[in-house]
Amino acid sequence: MGLKARPLRAASSLLAMAVAGAVAGSAWSVPALGQDSQAEASDAGNTIVVTGLRRADALQDTPAAITAFTSQAIEDARIIRPADFVNLTPNVNLVETQNAGNAFIIIRGITQARNSEPSVAVVVDGVQQVNPAQFNQALFDIEQIEVLKGPQGALYGRNAIGGAIIVTTKEPGDTLEGSMTAGVDNGFGYFLRGGISGPLGEDGGFRLSGSWQDTDGYIPNTFLNEDADPVENLSLRGRLLFDLNDNIELDLRASMDQLRTQALYFNIVTDVNDTSLPVRVNNAGQNDRDIYNVSARIAFTNDNFTVTSVTSYDWLEEILTGDAFDFRPIEESFFFRPADSPFGFGLGLGFDLNQSQFLDVEAFSQELRVQSPDNQPLFWMFGGYFIATERYISTGNMLDTGAGVFPVYRVPSTNPLNPQTSFLADSQDNVAWSLFGNLGYEFSDQFRADVSLRYDHDHRENTTLTPPGFLPNVPGFPPAVSGELRTESFSDWQPKVTLTFTPSREVTLYGGYSRGFRSGGFNQTGVGAIAAGNGIVGVNDIYEAETADTFEVGAKLQLLDNMLSFNTAAYRTISKNSYFFVFLAANSTQNLGNVPKTEIQGAEFEAMLRPSRDLALTAAYGLTYSDIKEFPDAAAIGDEAPLISRSTINLGLQYNPAISNDLDALLRVDYRRTGKTWWDVPNTTVRDPIELVNARVGVEGESWGLHAFATNLFNEEYNAEFSPGGFVFKARPRVYGVEATVRY
């Protein structure tokens, strides 16, 4: 197996020792990192219940690697955006780059890239998000977040290849209540979050909640003398919940998110660790994203089964504009400056470029499932899922005349101040459906087996809408044609088998096999020819579907009368046709290629020690080794897969002492170390480990709270992403502020 396998062997040996100790009768427990301990939850009579496996189970009894955050943990850790809970979860990373809609989840080495299908299924209140551009939204009024690691395709279908993220918002209550949080930060920015809930008659309830953020930004643009990342973000959500009779529940939900910020403020370097260059784009540009969702969930329950119908409509639109390569002011830019320029070698063409990209997605989805009650030896569920998606995307470059950059939507620019030099557009009509079934049986109090199977079929039609004058035709290759219709279908079976052994109430051991599947898709017409002409392998007009087969074993344990809790898991994944990203400068396109085969091995350890009810110490370690086994360029075999970090380390402390009978204090510190990270198939550069510290301190009464907070407390400077071609995107520096909360 070579030198790479040795650390994993050590991790697997530790896992085997933990399992052996459990079988020998040790009393251990596993709460989720960053949340109330299982012991305290049980003492309070509110054992943490997770639903990620499509049935309600106590977290301790769930045979899966799940990190869960309760509403109290979300408040204590100040989780207000996805990066906040991702950074508290071992072996999970979030890469934020380019624009709001491009935020890549990496779970256990299963990665994501620009314009790709997501690596996880994201489910909010039972409704699965239809496009990865929806993920990076504000989080507010949240009841629970569950992060399931490992392929969950048998439960959530295509795109759950790396896992699933289950977000549950707070439900309407039967009494009038609400809360409001307001604060300021060093942006200078201010924000509001809050909600109100109450009854509607005897059998109904409502909940309205929202979030507003307004900041000038945190990353200076030294050329324009303003910040590069201002934000105006308004999010609203409403829920109506009705018990139509003793057997039928109706849950209606509507939400919107309007974001106004900027994008594309890259630098160009050869080393991802080079943070010396300031942002100096001459076009501030824009990044406007609007997301709307309406959904209806109807559940009919009797003594024998529950029938659930979930219907959803989603619409997303995002436009972004800004500088183009090489993201410098016009006279310093690569295309403008001459070969002997003091700013470096240039083409001396006397002009610069800017760019515009537009995305429009509409989707209708329907799920219907029937399942047995949770509290019986035989659990069963079966159903079907259907989704129809229409997507339009365009991208192009314009001459930068110094008059600014203007958005381009569905037709090339005719603006004389913004003449179009390249333009590519296409539309996609996708129809996908699936059938699924799950069976679980408790043979005894100690042994349970679960078997799931899902078949997904995804039919995709792509129409080239690029005008003839902008088609990227290359001599020696078939010509690209405007109006060309391409069709492809991608399908696969996704099985999942899990065996669970609970030798005592304090011990859960599990192991199994699962497969994940992610659809392939279309690069823009002619990309394959251009890639070949530029000596780039693995990139074609169509990129293939990806599968991931994973074997996993794990243990959940409690020790010292529930004072110490411990989680551990080890896994091995074979990924076929994983995605990687390529930017083709020849036609300014963002494209996906495939790595035919990658092997991924890893392990995780999580622990919480609660020596008293007001003190909790947490620790977690995640380890991932990847190895490219097959690739058209033999030089890449043995390299690390793109976007994968070697390890994650989490350490946390939370102290909640009582100051008086009605006043408590809070001190919380979270440390995160993300190990070496590789970014492209040739492994041309590797980011050194980064270390981040977040802190929150304050006082709380029964109906109010006052807190100070800081993220990236020690102002670690690093690049959040390196993209092939040397594009780096700066990470957010230290952000700090104060906030006050009132509950009524």
Side-chain angles (χ1 to χ4, degrees):
M1 295 176 63
L3 293 176
K4 282 188 174 183
R6 291 179 183 172
L8 185 58
R9 284 178 181 166
S12 300
S13 298
L14 287 172
L15 175 62
M17 292 171 61
V19 173
V23 174
S26 299
W28 291 55
S29 168
V30 180
L33 182 67
Q35 70 173 14
D36 303 340
S37 74
Q38 188 74 23
E40 184 173 13
S42 297
D43 291 343
N46 60 341
T47 298
I48 298 164
V49 175
V50 294
T51 59
L53 297 187
R54 294 286 202 181
R55 63 177 187 267
D57 276 328
L59 177 64
Q60 169 63 12
D61 300 331
T62 305
I66 300 179
T67 300
F69 302 90
T70 64
S71 59
Q72 187 62 55
I74 291 168
E75 181 179 343
D76 291 342
R78 197 172 182 269
I79 294 173
I80 60 173
R81 59 193 186 108
D84 298 329
F85 72 80
V86 167
N87 284 336
L88 292 170
T89 308
N91 263 345
V92 182
N93 292 298
L94 181 68
V95 176
E96 297 180 272
T97 183
Q98 182 175 311
N99 60 295
N102 271 305
F104 314 141
I105 289 280
I106 298 95
I107 292 189
R108 290 180 167 182
I110 302 297
T111 62
Q112 187 179 327
R114 287 172 177 80
N115 304 324
S116 80
E117 296 297 321
S119 57
V120 297
V122 180
V123 182
V124 182
D125 292 336
V127 178
Q128 191 163 328
Q129 291 184 352
V130 300
N131 190 279
Q134 295 174 276
F135 177 66
N136 199 20
Q137 298 186 51
L139 295 171
F140 56 94
D141 209 32
I142 304 298
E143 181 64 29
Q144 187 157 295
I145 300 171
E146 303 170 30
V147 183
L148 283 74
K149 287 170 279 188
Q152 304 297 329
L155 300 176
Y156 294 101
R158 77 200 211 292
N159 303 335
I161 188 168
I165 295 174
I166 314 301
V167 179
T168 305
T169 66
K170 293 184 177 180
E171 290 189 350
D174 54 8
T175 59
L176 187 63
E177 59 182 7
S179 67
M180 177 66 70
T181 298
V184 296
D185 66 29
N186 61 312
F188 175 80
Y190 66 93
F191 51 86
L192 297 168
R193 301 187 301 273
I196 185 171
S197 175
L200 289 175
E202 295 183 358
D203 300 315
F206 75 93
R207 191 170 197 101
L208 299 173
S209 53
S211 170
W212 167 255
Q213 181 190 12
D214 188 334
T215 180
D216 294 335
Y218 312 94
I219 301 173
N221 180 337
T222 59
F223 182 79
L224 295 178
N225 294 316
E226 63 184 33
D227 287 326
D229 59 335
V231 173
E232 291 183 6
N233 188 193
L234 173 65
S235 299
L236 298 172
R237 181 172 61 247
R239 289 186 71 180
L240 297 174
L241 189 62
F242 297 98
D243 289 325
L244 301 183
N245 56 40
D246 292 339
N247 303 99
I248 300 177
E249 182 181 81
L250 174 63
D251 188 351
L252 303 175
R253 182 182 183 275
S255 66
M256 58 161 285
D257 183 275
Q258 293 182 336
L259 176 68
R260 302 294 181 262
T261 181
Q262 295 175 13
L264 299 167
Y265 41 90
F266 287 104
N267 282 313
I268 307 296
V269 298
T270 57
D271 181 0
V272 66
N273 299 295
D274 184 356
T275 60
S276 62
L277 297 178
V279 173
R280 297 189 69 245
V281 295
N282 63 281
N283 289 298
Q286 70 184 98
N287 181 186
D288 297 350
R289 186 190 65 181
D290 297 313
I291 303 173
Y292 299 92
N293 167 262
V294 291
S295 65
R297 181 179 63 86
I298 303 174
F300 169 80
T301 303
N302 63 22
D303 293 338
N304 300 312
F305 59 85
T306 297
V307 181
T308 304
S309 169
V310 180
T311 307
S312 179
Y313 170 78
D314 293 85
W315 176 59
L316 179 147
E317 184 176 277
E318 184 172 23
I319 179 73
L320 59 146
T321 67
D323 262 13
F325 183 86
D326 57 352
F327 304 97
R328 293 188 182 186
I330 294 175
E331 294 182 357
E332 301 177 24
S333 67
F334 175 73
F335 293 107
F336 184 95
R337 66 183 185 249
D340 60 351
S341 167
F343 302 112
F345 173 81
L347 296 183
L349 300 179
F351 62 80
D352 190 15
L353 298 175
N354 54 40
Q355 61 182 305
S356 177
Q357 299 178 50
F358 175 62
L359 174 68
D360 186 0
V361 180
E362 288 187 80
F364 170 83
S365 64
Q366 173 67 52
E367 182 181 73
L368 182 67
R369 65 178 182 269
V370 184
Q371 69 185 67
S372 66
D374 296 333
N375 57 350
Q376 62 183 26
L378 177 63
F379 172 84
W380 52 264
M381 180 180 71
F382 61 87
Y385 178 77
F386 171 86
I387 182 170
T389 306
E390 294 182 0
R391 190 206 75 171
Y392 173 88
I393 187 170
S394 68
T395 182
N397 288 123
M398 292 78 66
L399 288 181
D400 191 348
T401 63
V405 57
F406 304 92
V408 176
Y409 296 91
R410 296 179 181 271
V411 296
S413 171
T414 57
N415 187 336
L417 299 177
N418 211 48
Q420 197 88 42
T421 61
S422 68
F423 181 83
L424 294 173
D426 64 50
S427 66
Q428 286 193 20
D429 292 326
N430 303 334
V431 175
W433 58 268
S434 65
L435 298 173
F436 55 85
N438 305 330
L439 281 176
Y441 188 71
E442 293 183 0
F443 292 90
S444 67
D445 291 340
Q446 288 78 37
F447 183 69
R448 177 188 178 103
D450 290 278
V451 179
S452 304
L453 184 63
R454 183 169 180 137
Y455 178 77
D456 274 86
H457 181 86
D458 193 355
H459 179 74
R460 303 193 164 202
E461 297 182 353
N462 178 277
T463 303
T464 300
L465 299 178
T466 303
F470 292 97
L471 286 170
N473 288 314
V474 178
F477 291 88
V481 179
S482 183
E484 176 188 6
L485 176 64
R486 296 179 291 166
T487 63
E488 287 288 333
S489 292
F490 306 95
S491 59
D492 207 346
W493 292 93
Q494 298 178 85
K496 181 180 176 72
V497 179
T498 305
L499 302 178
T500 308
F501 179 54
T502 53
S504 69
R505 188 177 63 179
E506 296 84 8
V507 177
T508 299
L509 309 176
Y510 66 91
Y513 160 79
S514 58
R515 163 171 280 202
F517 159 70
R518 178 161 49 177
S519 290
F522 302 93
N523 290 317
Q524 288 171 318
T525 305
V527 158
I530 293 177
N534 285 270
I536 297 173
V537 299
V539 177
N540 299 289
D541 284 15
I542 296 173
Y543 55 90
E544 300 298 328
E546 179 185 0
T547 60
D549 293 281
T550 297
F551 291 90
E552 178 176 353
V553 293
K556 295 187 171 186
L557 314 143
Q558 292 180 327
L559 183 66
L560 303 178
D561 196 23
N562 295 337
M563 184 186 302
L564 177 64
S565 305
F566 185 70
N567 248 359
T568 183
Y571 56 90
R572 178 177 181 269
T573 298
I574 297 297
S575 169
K576 295 183 179 179
N577 292 321
S578 61
Y579 299 161
F580 70 93
F581 173 76
V582 170
F583 174 75
L584 287 177
N587 62 348
S588 189
T589 56
Q590 301 175 13
N591 308 287
L592 296 179
N594 292 113
V595 178
K597 184 178 180 181
T598 305
E599 181 177 343
I600 304 168
Q601 300 181 76
E604 295 151 2
F605 308 89
E606 299 180 80
M608 174 184 280
L609 174 66
R610 188 179 284 272
S612 64
R613 296 182 66 88
D614 56 8
L615 178 63
L617 304 172
T618 57
Y621 178 63
L623 181 68
T624 301
Y625 281 88
S626 65
D627 188 357
I628 294 176
K629 294 294 187 181
E630 297 178 10
F631 195 72
D633 181 358
I637 295 176
D639 286 351
E640 299 280 349
L643 274 73
I644 291 180
S645 300
R646 169 69 77 240
S647 62
T648 61
I649 297 175
N650 289 85
L651 299 173
L653 178 150
Q654 182 166 315
Y655 184 43
N656 296 91
I659 300 175
S660 66
N661 289 336
D662 55 1
L663 192 64
D664 295 328
L666 169 68
L667 171 63
R668 182 180 177 110
V669 179
D670 290 294
Y671 165 85
R672 164 81 167 208
R673 183 184 189 271
T674 302
K676 288 185 176 181
T677 305
W678 291 263
W679 298 97
D680 55 10
V681 172
N683 291 178
T684 56
T685 185
V686 55
R687 189 180 67 188
D688 294 336
I690 58 172
E691 298 178 280
L692 302 176
V693 176
N694 296 342
R696 191 167 184 256
V697 60
V699 294
E700 294 183 349
E702 183 176 349
S703 59
W704 63 274
L706 181 63
H707 297 87
F709 64 88
T711 60
N712 192 3
L713 178 64
F714 296 106
N715 204 30
E716 176 95 346
E717 292 187 33
Y718 65 100
N719 290 314
E721 189 215 19
F722 177 95
S723 183
F727 300 75
V728 290
F729 199 74
K730 283 187 178 295
R732 179 174 286 184
R734 176 172 51 226
V735 177
Y736 58 89
V738 295
E739 60 187 10
T741 299
V742 177
R743 293 177 288 272
Y744 50 88

